[in-house]
Amino acid sequence: MIKKIYTFFYFIALFVLFAAAILSTALFQKDVVPYLAQKYLIEYGVEYKDIEGTLFSGVVLRGVKYQQSVEIDELKIKYNPLMLPNPTPRVSYISAKGVFVDADKILEMQSQGESSPFALNISKVDLQRVKVAYKEEMYTLNLTALDVSLRNKTDIQKITLEAQTPYAMVALEGSVKANRAKGKSTLLLSEKTHHEYLDFLIYTPSELELFFDVSSKEADLKTSIKSVAFKDVDDLVLDSVELHATYNFDDDFFMLFSNYRALYEKNEIAVEQKSRVTFDADIVSSLEAKIVQDEFNLPFESFSVDIKRDKNLTRFDFAAKDLAINAQTKDFQDFSLKAKSIYADLDAKVELKSDAVTLVGELYPKSDAPYLKEYDIQRFSKLNLFVLKNQESMRASIGTDKLSLTLFEDKEGLVGILKAGESRFDIKGSIQKREFTVEANVESIRTLLSELELNLIDESLLFDASAIISAKIGFKDRVEVEARVDIPWYRLEVDTQNIYMDRDAYFEFFYADKEVILKKYDFGVMQKRIFSKRASKIALGEDDTIELREFWIYDNLLLSGELNYSDMSADVTLKSDKFRYESADANVTIKMDIQAVVDSNGSQSISGDIDILEGVVTYVPKKEYAIKDEDIIIIQDIKPPKKEHEKRELNIRVHSSKPIEYKIKDVELLVTPNLVIYQEFGELMQILGTLQIHSGAVTISDREFEFEESEIYFYDEEYTNPYLNLNLHYYTLDNIDIEIYITNRVESPVFILSSNPQMSQDNIISYILFGSSATSAFDTSEEASRSSLSTLALGAGLKGLLDRSVNLKIDTLNILTNEDGTLGYEIGKRFGKKVRLVYKNDDISSLTLQYSLSRSVRIDVDVKETGQGVGIFYIKDFKLGE
């Protein structure tokens, strides 16, 4: 038994020693590696010139080639022999130097479904001086990879790469999973990239950080640039640029998506751009832009640009609201430019040379353009345009024979002339400083508009004026205009009865950011000066609106609100806490708050409150035209009556917190108004309320009539014929108090007379007319004659007294001598050409109606206290001899 066990262990020991001897020979024998390489590597298409090493220490191959797609000068492989028997052997280290890879062939083999013959894990790969050929271009790189798994798909836990390509130098870190590489890299663009693709840019960053996602079929690259500037466009900067490029290896182009902000001076535009770029430098690009900040007040908020470029032609298509521009060039030196807008079309040629830029073209204004379709612009159907700019100077001109602008600029500054008809505007300034001055002296605005064939003024109005203009215009951070316009004279003739004219008006204003500050102004209307030295603020809003933020009149009357000049609508408020108004009609201080609303249909709604604080009113009602001579013919404009009541409503209260003085010749009153000016749409205007008279006096023919508390009532639309409640007193020289009470309406007043002490109506009237009683006024006795002569002199003023009355007009007053020696009087009033009424008071009172049948025949109808009668009179003129 023991012998058998000994024999078993003996043979086991011999077998182990034999196996160890064979394994040792295989691991350490140098001839084993060339044998195995010759047997297996060539079978998989791997060729080499020289191989050395052992299975235990590793191998070194030189002159390696793989299927004419990979060549390696020297390949070193280190491994753990115990890991080789695994289904997927693991190699601890592989290094290669002098590597050449034909990427086109490898991609072709992968596209045909060929898989890698190896299934291998590698702890570390170190490749130096690797050259990769792709699409006839060479790429050089050094690569280090950790934990590499080679099967049907490649996985790499970490990869570090430094590469030099025709387009950029690259430093990369990333990983590979299932043949898809992801990571980030830092790269510097090459001169080739700058020259062929980015020559028009000033590339400001020193390096780019690039995020990549690359597979065997496509590449996805993302990066960002802080800012980019353009060589040929001063002050233009692309800021916060985000770039996203995608490339399909089966295609011959890559797609570039970019977002950035374009900055030009104080302007900012947000841009999204999509470009298709081939390796032949063909570009198809489109961008969408939104304006964030606009210094030039462009008439649109967004725009788009399409760019197409190939070897023969580059085309630019710009589109925005109401504007389209098309430009194309073959060599970026000669451009053909066409632009279309709702205002005009432009057809021009642009030539770019190394030292000069020239633009020659024609501008065609459109007759149906906004703000122009109402005017005849046939005269300006084509404007010739010329611009020449070089490093030393610039010349430009635009216009026709009647309207032209010529500019010249050099290092001394800019000068120019704008000719409009016979008027000339001189321009001076500097484009670098962006400051200009404009001086002009327009002798006649009407002549200027006529020469330019611009009908800007209603033909029914005859308007003309002269103007002296001095303006300073700046374009620094914003557009600023500071100007003074003097108007030596103006004349506005609405019709033959309404003519307005004045001299020496002026306006000083400042404009910036769609806001006008009217510093001060002074002009005259109807012999009244309207002025203010307090700055007014006017904003020019959107949709043809004008916002009156603060518009001062006389420095203390504030007009505010909004106007729309396209549909002539308005909503304004007129306010003042203490407005002083001085003119020939009044010198008063008022507090007011008035709101006026006018819609696009012309309907007006005016409401508010006017409080007269103090002052004196001196307004004298003016008489209408009244000519009785039938031989005079008046020719004047006949206009249809305005039906203002159909489109107007009013509700304005006029009142006073204390009595106001009304003072004209022969009249002094203290009055308190409490009135409402009221009107509804479609109705006539009414004045409602009272005008309370506290005290005062009226003087007529040296007679003074004193007022007690009285009222004038306004009740309805007949505001010129109000109700009266007047109490007057006339005190005679002999201390008689005559009280006159006037009631009913102005056009039909009722007079009630009384006296203290009590007298008859004849004596009261006699006292009012002659200053004494009826008996003494016409007493011709010798003793009374002298005293009555003085009253007779007063009686001579009777006609003047009655003529001043509103409702009684007389044409004759005769003093009569009665048979008993007393005096009487006769008063006559004519009604028309043939009818006359005579009141006679001599012995008895009588009333006679006279009717003229012809120049020589007259019929009298008498009504007397003693009876009635009719008389026919023949009238003959006699010429008495001397």
Side-chain angles (χ1 to χ4, degrees):
M1 184 68 182
I2 296 174
K3 184 178 179 180
K4 291 181 178 180
I5 295 173
Y6 173 79
T7 302
F8 172 76
F9 281 107
Y10 174 76
F11 282 107
I12 290 297
L14 290 177
F15 178 77
V16 170
L17 290 174
F18 179 76
I22 294 175
L23 181 61
S24 175
T25 302
L27 292 177
F28 295 99
Q29 181 58 252
K30 295 182 178 181
D31 295 334
V32 174
V33 170
Y35 174 78
L36 294 176
Q38 184 70 21
K39 184 175 179 59
Y40 295 104
L41 291 182
I42 294 177
E43 181 179 348
Y44 290 107
V46 178
E47 301 178 5
Y48 60 92
K49 292 182 178 180
D50 182 45
I51 186 170
E52 63 182 31
T54 64
L55 293 178
F56 181 81
S57 63
V59 297
V60 177
L61 288 85
R62 297 180 179 86
V64 180
K65 292 184 179 181
Y66 174 67
Q67 294 188 356
Q68 298 181 353
S69 61
V70 178
E71 296 181 5
I72 304 174
D73 292 341
E74 182 182 271
L75 175 64
K76 290 183 178 181
I77 303 175
K78 294 182 179 181
Y79 48 83
N80 185 346
L82 299 178
M83 301 300 296
L84 294 179
N86 291 331
T88 304
R90 173 171 288 279
V91 176
S92 61
Y93 177 75
I94 294 179
S95 69
K97 297 180 180 179
V99 181
F100 172 78
V101 178
D102 190 336
D104 295 320
K105 291 184 179 180
I106 292 178
L107 293 174
E108 182 180 354
M109 289 188 298
Q110 290 185 352
S111 64
Q112 294 175 356
E114 297 185 18
S115 60
S116 173
F118 302 105
L120 186 67
N121 291 332
I122 307 172
S123 297
K124 182 178 180 180
V125 176
D126 186 11
L127 306 179
Q128 301 295 322
R129 304 196 311 274
V130 179
K131 295 183 178 180
V132 180
Y134 178 71
K135 291 187 180 296
E136 300 180 354
E137 291 184 325
M138 191 65 66
Y139 302 81
T140 303
L141 57 90
N142 297 321
L143 182 145
T144 301
L146 301 178
D147 197 6
V148 180
S149 176
L150 300 177
R151 297 182 183 86
N152 292 332
K153 295 183 179 180
T154 301
D155 293 328
I156 304 175
Q157 182 179 4
K158 182 179 179 181
I159 184 171
T160 303
L161 179 144
E162 294 180 355
Q164 183 172 356
T165 75
Y167 306 99
M169 294 184 62
V170 181
L172 177 150
E173 288 186 2
S175 63
V176 178
K177 186 175 182 180
N179 293 340
R180 193 177 191 92
K182 293 183 179 181
K184 68 177 182 178
S185 65
T186 302
L187 54 90
L188 297 176
L189 298 182
S190 67
E191 291 296 329
K192 175 183 176 66
T193 302
H194 279 291
H195 179 71
E196 294 187 5
Y197 303 103
L198 304 175
D199 189 52
F200 58 95
L201 296 177
I202 300 174
Y203 189 66
T204 56
S206 58
E207 62 182 23
L208 284 178
E209 188 176 61
L210 180 69
F211 294 87
F212 62 88
D213 185 350
V214 182
S215 69
S216 60
K217 293 183 178 181
E218 62 181 3
D220 189 286
L221 309 174
K222 294 181 180 180
T223 189
S224 61
I225 306 174
K226 186 176 180 180
S227 64
V228 173
F230 291 80
K231 290 182 178 179
D232 298 329
V233 184
D234 296 335
D235 301 326
L236 177 60
V237 177
L238 304 186
D239 193 23
S240 302
V241 182
E242 299 289 339
L243 299 176
H244 178 196
T246 63
Y247 175 64
N248 191 312
F249 292 106
D250 294 332
D251 299 327
D252 192 29
F253 64 87
F254 64 89
M255 299 298 300
L256 180 63
F257 304 89
S258 55
N259 295 327
Y260 53 87
R261 293 185 304 122
L263 306 177
Y264 183 78
E265 297 181 346
K266 296 298 182 179
N267 302 277
E268 179 179 345
I269 302 174
V271 180
E272 295 183 1
Q273 186 169 359
K274 178 181 179 181
S275 303
R276 181 180 182 271
V277 183
T278 70
F279 289 93
D280 294 331
D282 292 348
I283 300 174
V284 177
S285 180
S286 63
L287 66 85
E288 298 290 335
K290 183 177 181 181
I291 299 175
V292 179
Q293 185 173 346
D294 179 15
E295 182 185 17
F296 299 111
N297 299 322
L298 296 174
F300 46 82
E301 297 179 354
S302 61
F303 61 88
S304 64
V305 180
D306 293 331
I307 303 172
K308 294 182 180 180
R309 177 185 177 185
D310 56 29
K311 295 180 180 179
N312 298 319
L313 187 67
T314 301
R315 180 184 177 92
F316 303 89
D317 295 320
F318 175 94
K321 179 183 178 182
D322 302 328
L323 176 63
I325 301 175
N326 306 112
Q328 58 185 24
T329 179
K330 292 182 178 180
D331 53 8
F332 286 90
Q333 293 183 354
D334 294 318
F335 291 81
S336 174
L337 179 65
K338 293 182 181 294
K340 294 181 180 295
S341 73
I342 60 174
Y343 303 98
D345 293 343
L346 174 65
D347 191 351
K349 299 291 184 181
V350 179
E351 181 181 356
L352 300 180
K353 293 184 178 180
S354 59
D355 59 347
V357 178
T358 305
L359 183 148
V360 179
E362 293 83 32
L363 190 66
Y364 300 88
K366 294 184 177 179
S367 59
D368 59 347
Y371 312 110
L372 296 178
K373 58 186 177 182
E374 298 179 1
Y375 313 121
D376 182 10
I377 62 169
Q378 185 177 1
R379 182 88 173 172
F380 315 110
S381 59
K382 183 178 79 169
L383 299 175
N384 297 316
L385 179 63
F386 172 80
V387 178
L388 173 61
K389 185 179 186 305
N390 55 34
Q391 296 179 353
E392 298 179 354
S393 64
M394 184 273 293
R395 287 184 295 166
S397 65
I398 181 174
T400 63
D401 55 343
K402 284 294 184 179
L403 178 65
S404 64
L405 172 63
T406 302
L407 298 174
F408 177 79
E409 183 204 19
D410 58 13
K411 61 181 180 180
E412 301 296 330
L414 180 142
V415 295
I417 298 174
L418 172 63
K419 289 186 177 181
E422 297 298 325
S423 300
R424 169 174 169 158
F425 298 79
D426 293 313
I427 303 171
K428 293 183 179 180
S430 170
I431 293 181
Q432 293 182 349
K433 295 181 180 180
R434 299 182 183 178
E435 293 180 351
F436 305 93
T437 60
V438 179
E439 304 284 344
N441 190 344
V442 181
E443 296 294 337
S444 170
I445 293 178
R446 186 178 183 87
T447 301
L448 173 62
L449 297 179
S450 175
E451 290 174 336
L452 299 180
E453 299 180 3
L454 296 176
N455 300 321
L456 301 179
I457 302 176
D458 190 341
E459 294 182 357
S460 63
L461 303 177
L462 298 178
F463 174 79
D464 199 4
S466 64
I468 301 174
I469 302 171
S470 178
K472 183 178 180 180
I473 305 173
F475 298 92
K476 294 182 179 178
D477 297 332
R478 57 181 182 175
V479 178
E480 297 180 355
V481 180
E482 187 171 4
R484 177 183 173 102
V485 180
D486 287 276
I487 303 177
W489 61 268
Y490 82 87
R491 176 185 173 89
L492 174 62
E493 184 175 336
V494 180
D495 50 46
T496 56
Q497 297 181 11
N498 296 281
I499 300 175
Y500 308 96
M501 62 182 66
D502 197 75
R503 293 180 176 274
D504 301 327
Y506 73 88
F507 300 88
E508 289 187 12
F509 65 89
F510 174 81
Y511 168 83
D513 294 334
K514 293 186 178 182
E515 183 179 74
V516 178
I517 298 178
L518 186 59
K519 295 182 177 180
K520 56 183 178 179
Y521 66 90
D522 188 327
F523 65 94
V525 178
M526 298 178 65
Q527 299 181 348
K528 294 182 176 64
R529 304 303 298 181
I530 300 177
F531 60 88
S532 178
K533 294 183 179 180
R534 190 169 182 177
S536 299
K537 296 181 180 180
I538 305 170
L540 307 179
E542 302 295 336
D543 301 327
D544 303 332
T545 59
I546 299 176
E547 181 185 355
L548 302 176
R549 295 177 179 173
E550 294 183 16
F551 190 91
W552 292 100
I553 305 172
Y554 299 121
D555 296 338
N556 52 12
L557 184 60
L558 177 61
L559 178 65
S560 60
E562 190 173 276
L563 308 174
N564 189 308
Y565 54 84
S566 62
D567 59 9
M568 301 305 293
S569 62
D571 186 352
V572 296
T573 301
L574 193 62
K575 288 185 178 182
S576 179
D577 292 331
K578 197 172 184 180
F579 168 56
R580 188 71 180 179
Y581 176 75
E582 298 183 28
S583 71
D585 298 329
N587 187 354
V588 296
T589 302
I590 63 176
K591 178 181 180 181
M592 63 168 19
D593 188 352
I594 301 293
Q595 182 179 14
V597 178
V598 181
D599 62 19
S600 58
N601 296 323
S603 297
Q604 308 171 19
S605 179
I606 305 173
S607 61
D609 187 88
I610 299 176
D611 184 5
I612 304 177
L613 302 177
E614 62 180 2
V616 178
V617 177
T618 56
Y619 173 73
V620 178
K622 295 177 174 60
K623 294 182 179 180
E624 299 294 334
Y625 296 105
I627 300 178
K628 297 180 180 179
D629 194 330
E630 295 181 356
D631 294 331
I632 297 178
I633 300 175
I634 300 176
I635 300 176
Q636 62 181 24
D637 297 338
I638 305 298
K639 294 185 176 182
K642 295 182 179 180
K643 297 182 180 180
E644 296 179 348
H645 60 279
E646 294 182 357
K647 289 188 176 183
R648 184 176 66 187
E649 66 174 0
L650 300 172
N651 189 4
I652 303 174
R653 185 189 174 205
V654 182
H655 60 94
S656 175
S657 56
K658 63 180 181 179
I660 303 301
E661 186 176 0
Y662 178 75
K663 185 176 182 181
I664 61 175
K665 183 180 179 181
D666 299 329
V667 178
E668 291 188 18
L669 300 176
L670 284 178
V671 299
T672 300
N674 190 4
L675 305 172
V676 175
I677 303 174
Y678 183 78
Q679 182 179 3
E680 294 181 351
F681 286 121
E683 304 293 335
L684 296 175
M685 187 181 74
Q686 304 179 44
I687 297 181
L688 310 175
T690 62
L691 187 64
Q692 186 174 4
I693 302 175
H694 300 283
S695 62
V698 177
T699 301
I700 302 177
S701 297
D702 297 330
R703 291 170 177 76
E704 185 178 88
F705 299 85
E706 298 182 3
F707 276 88
E708 283 190 354
E709 289 286 341
S710 303
E711 294 85 20
I712 299 177
Y713 296 94
F714 295 87
Y715 182 72
D716 50 25
E717 66 272 7
E718 297 186 37
Y719 50 86
T720 59
N721 188 25
Y723 289 92
L724 304 177
N725 183 21
L726 305 180
N727 288 288
L728 296 93
H729 287 267
Y730 170 60
Y731 297 95
T732 67
L733 296 176
D734 48 358
N735 297 322
I736 297 175
D737 179 10
I738 298 176
E739 183 176 2
I740 306 172
Y741 176 66
I742 306 174
T743 186
N744 207 25
R745 290 201 167 200
V746 168
E747 294 182 358
S748 56
V750 176
F751 295 80
I752 301 176
L753 308 175
S754 64
S755 65
N756 186 18
Q758 186 174 359
M759 295 186 300
S760 66
Q761 293 292 307
D762 289 344
N763 284 331
I764 292 175
I765 294 176
S766 180
Y767 267 103
I768 294 174
L769 297 179
F770 303 108
S772 61
S773 64
T775 304
S776 60
F778 300 101
D779 184 3
T780 57
S781 61
E782 185 176 353
E783 295 180 357
S785 294
R786 295 178 181 177
S787 62
S788 63
L789 287 176
S790 62
T791 60
L792 186 60
L794 279 176
L798 177 62
K799 184 175 185 298
L801 173 65
L802 297 178
D803 273 341
R804 293 187 181 94
S805 173
V806 176
N807 298 293
L808 181 59
K809 304 293 183 181
I810 67 173
D811 49 41
T812 58
L813 171 62
N814 298 319
I815 305 300
L816 307 176
T817 303
N818 300 325
E819 294 180 356
D820 58 1
T822 62
L823 296 177
Y825 56 89
E826 179 183 72
I827 300 174
K829 174 71 173 90
R830 179 174 295 281
F831 300 91
K833 186 175 182 181
K834 296 183 177 182
V835 180
R836 186 167 178 267
L837 186 64
V838 178
Y839 174 73
K840 187 176 182 180
N841 186 1
D842 45 11
D843 295 333
I844 58 176
S845 298
S846 65
L847 186 65
T848 303
L849 177 64
Q850 299 177 346
Y851 182 78
S852 299
L853 295 176
S854 65
R855 183 179 179 88
S856 304
V857 180
R858 190 184 78 207
I859 299 176
D860 288 3
V861 180
D862 296 331
V863 180
K864 305 179 180 179
E865 296 178 0
T866 56
Q868 302 175 1
V870 177
I872 300 177
F873 295 86
Y874 176 77
I875 303 169
K876 179 66 176 176
D877 293 333
F878 294 95
K879 183 176 181 181
L880 300 177
E882 296 181 357

mmCIF file of all heavy atoms in Angstrom, residues 209-222:
data_model
loop_
_atom_site.group_PDB
_atom_site.id
_atom_site.type_symbol
_atom_site.label_atom_id
_atom_site.label_comp_id
_atom_site.label_asym_id
_atom_site.label_seq_id
_atom_site.Cartn_x
_atom_site.Cartn_y
_atom_site.Cartn_z
ATOM 1 N N GLU A 209 -12.734 76.847 -24.921
ATOM 2 C CA GLU A 209 -13.076 75.621 -24.200
ATOM 3 C C GLU A 209 -14.206 74.938 -24.958
ATOM 4 O O GLU A 209 -15.281 75.519 -25.123
ATOM 5 C CB GLU A 209 -13.501 75.931 -22.768
ATOM 6 C CG GLU A 209 -13.668 74.673 -21.925
ATOM 7 C CD GLU A 209 -14.001 74.999 -20.480
ATOM 8 O OE1 GLU A 209 -15.067 75.628 -20.263
ATOM 9 O OE2 GLU A 209 -13.209 74.659 -19.586
ATOM 10 N N LEU A 210 -13.946 73.710 -25.426
ATOM 11 C CA LEU A 210 -14.872 73.012 -26.306
ATOM 12 C C LEU A 210 -15.385 71.749 -25.634
ATOM 13 O O LEU A 210 -14.599 70.941 -25.119
ATOM 14 C CB LEU A 210 -14.156 72.653 -27.614
ATOM 15 C CG LEU A 210 -14.968 71.905 -28.668
ATOM 16 C CD1 LEU A 210 -16.038 72.823 -29.254
ATOM 17 C CD2 LEU A 210 -14.043 71.385 -29.768
ATOM 18 N N PHE A 211 -16.694 71.572 -25.623
ATOM 19 C CA PHE A 211 -17.311 70.341 -25.144
ATOM 20 C C PHE A 211 -17.685 69.500 -26.365
ATOM 21 O O PHE A 211 -18.311 70.007 -27.307
ATOM 22 C CB PHE A 211 -18.552 70.662 -24.308
ATOM 23 C CG PHE A 211 -18.245 71.384 -23.034
ATOM 24 C CD1 PHE A 211 -18.152 72.778 -23.012
ATOM 25 C CD2 PHE A 211 -18.022 70.687 -21.867
ATOM 26 C CE1 PHE A 211 -17.859 73.447 -21.828
ATOM 27 C CE2 PHE A 211 -17.730 71.351 -20.680
ATOM 28 C CZ PHE A 211 -17.640 72.737 -20.666
ATOM 29 N N PHE A 212 -17.298 68.207 -26.344
ATOM 30 C CA PHE A 212 -17.477 67.374 -27.528
ATOM 31 C C PHE A 212 -18.250 66.109 -27.183
ATOM 32 O O PHE A 212 -18.219 65.606 -26.060
ATOM 33 C CB PHE A 212 -16.131 67.033 -28.160
ATOM 34 C CG PHE A 212 -15.228 66.245 -27.258
ATOM 35 C CD1 PHE A 212 -15.278 64.855 -27.227
ATOM 36 C CD2 PHE A 212 -14.314 66.889 -26.425
ATOM 37 C CE1 PHE A 212 -14.437 64.119 -26.400
ATOM 38 C CE2 PHE A 212 -13.486 66.158 -25.593
ATOM 39 C CZ PHE A 212 -13.545 64.777 -25.573
ATOM 40 N N ASP A 213 -18.906 65.607 -28.199
ATOM 41 C CA ASP A 213 -19.595 64.319 -28.151
ATOM 42 C C ASP A 213 -19.456 63.713 -29.549
ATOM 43 O O ASP A 213 -20.168 64.095 -30.477
ATOM 44 C CB ASP A 213 -21.063 64.528 -27.764
ATOM 45 C CG ASP A 213 -21.792 63.216 -27.583
ATOM 46 O OD1 ASP A 213 -21.237 62.158 -27.922
ATOM 47 O OD2 ASP A 213 -22.954 63.261 -27.104
ATOM 48 N N VAL A 214 -18.506 62.753 -29.678
ATOM 49 C CA VAL A 214 -18.113 62.254 -30.994
ATOM 50 C C VAL A 214 -18.303 60.743 -31.037
ATOM 51 O O VAL A 214 -17.866 60.022 -30.124
ATOM 52 C CB VAL A 214 -16.646 62.603 -31.314
ATOM 53 C CG1 VAL A 214 -16.268 62.109 -32.706
ATOM 54 C CG2 VAL A 214 -16.424 64.106 -31.202
ATOM 55 N N SER A 215 -18.966 60.306 -32.098
ATOM 56 C CA SER A 215 -19.103 58.875 -32.361
ATOM 57 C C SER A 215 -18.493 58.569 -33.715
ATOM 58 O O SER A 215 -17.931 59.457 -34.377
ATOM 59 C CB SER A 215 -20.571 58.459 -32.316
ATOM 60 O OG SER A 215 -21.277 59.016 -33.414
ATOM 61 N N SER A 216 -18.614 57.335 -34.149
ATOM 62 C CA SER A 216 -18.063 56.965 -35.445
ATOM 63 C C SER A 216 -18.883 57.528 -36.599
ATOM 64 O O SER A 216 -18.418 57.529 -37.739
ATOM 65 C CB SER A 216 -17.993 55.439 -35.558
ATOM 66 O OG SER A 216 -19.311 54.892 -35.432
ATOM 67 N N LYS A 217 -20.083 58.058 -36.277
ATOM 68 C CA LYS A 217 -20.948 58.589 -37.331
ATOM 69 C C LYS A 217 -21.055 60.117 -37.320
ATOM 70 O O LYS A 217 -21.234 60.730 -38.361
ATOM 71 C CB LYS A 217 -22.349 57.992 -37.202
ATOM 72 C CG LYS A 217 -22.399 56.496 -37.475
ATOM 73 C CD LYS A 217 -23.825 55.977 -37.406
ATOM 74 C CE LYS A 217 -23.873 54.493 -37.719
ATOM 75 N NZ LYS A 217 -25.275 53.970 -37.680
ATOM 76 N N GLU A 218 -20.967 60.703 -36.132
ATOM 77 C CA GLU A 218 -21.169 62.150 -36.073
ATOM 78 C C GLU A 218 -20.388 62.750 -34.924
ATOM 79 O O GLU A 218 -19.947 62.035 -34.001
ATOM 80 C CB GLU A 218 -22.661 62.488 -35.911
ATOM 81 C CG GLU A 218 -23.269 61.964 -34.625
ATOM 82 C CD GLU A 218 -24.745 62.290 -34.515
ATOM 83 O OE1 GLU A 218 -25.287 62.869 -35.476
ATOM 84 O OE2 GLU A 218 -25.352 61.975 -33.472
ATOM 85 N N ALA A 219 -20.238 64.075 -34.992
ATOM 86 C CA ALA A 219 -19.551 64.836 -33.944
ATOM 87 C C ALA A 219 -20.436 65.999 -33.523
ATOM 88 O O ALA A 219 -21.076 66.646 -34.357
ATOM 89 C CB ALA A 219 -18.196 65.330 -34.439
ATOM 90 N N ASP A 220 -20.480 66.250 -32.226
ATOM 91 C CA ASP A 220 -21.272 67.340 -31.668
ATOM 92 C C ASP A 220 -20.354 68.176 -30.786
ATOM 93 O O ASP A 220 -19.796 67.664 -29.799
ATOM 94 C CB ASP A 220 -22.441 66.777 -30.843
ATOM 95 C CG ASP A 220 -23.409 67.863 -30.427
ATOM 96 O OD1 ASP A 220 -23.061 68.655 -29.514
ATOM 97 O OD2 ASP A 220 -24.507 67.934 -30.981
ATOM 98 N N LEU A 221 -20.162 69.461 -31.136
ATOM 99 C CA LEU A 221 -19.214 70.333 -30.446
ATOM 100 C C LEU A 221 -19.922 71.579 -29.941
ATOM 101 O O LEU A 221 -20.744 72.167 -30.649
ATOM 102 C CB LEU A 221 -18.077 70.729 -31.400
ATOM 103 C CG LEU A 221 -17.380 69.583 -32.152
ATOM 104 C CD1 LEU A 221 -16.389 70.154 -33.146
ATOM 105 C CD2 LEU A 221 -16.702 68.634 -31.181
ATOM 106 N N LYS A 222 -19.582 72.000 -28.722
ATOM 107 C CA LYS A 222 -20.161 73.197 -28.127
ATOM 108 C C LYS A 222 -19.069 74.032 -27.492
ATOM 109 O O LYS A 222 -18.152 73.488 -26.854
ATOM 110 C CB LYS A 222 -21.200 72.843 -27.057
ATOM 111 C CG LYS A 222 -22.434 72.145 -27.594
ATOM 112 C CD LYS A 222 -23.421 71.846 -26.466
ATOM 113 C CE LYS A 222 -24.662 71.143 -27.016
ATOM 114 N NZ LYS A 222 -25.640 70.830 -25.936
#
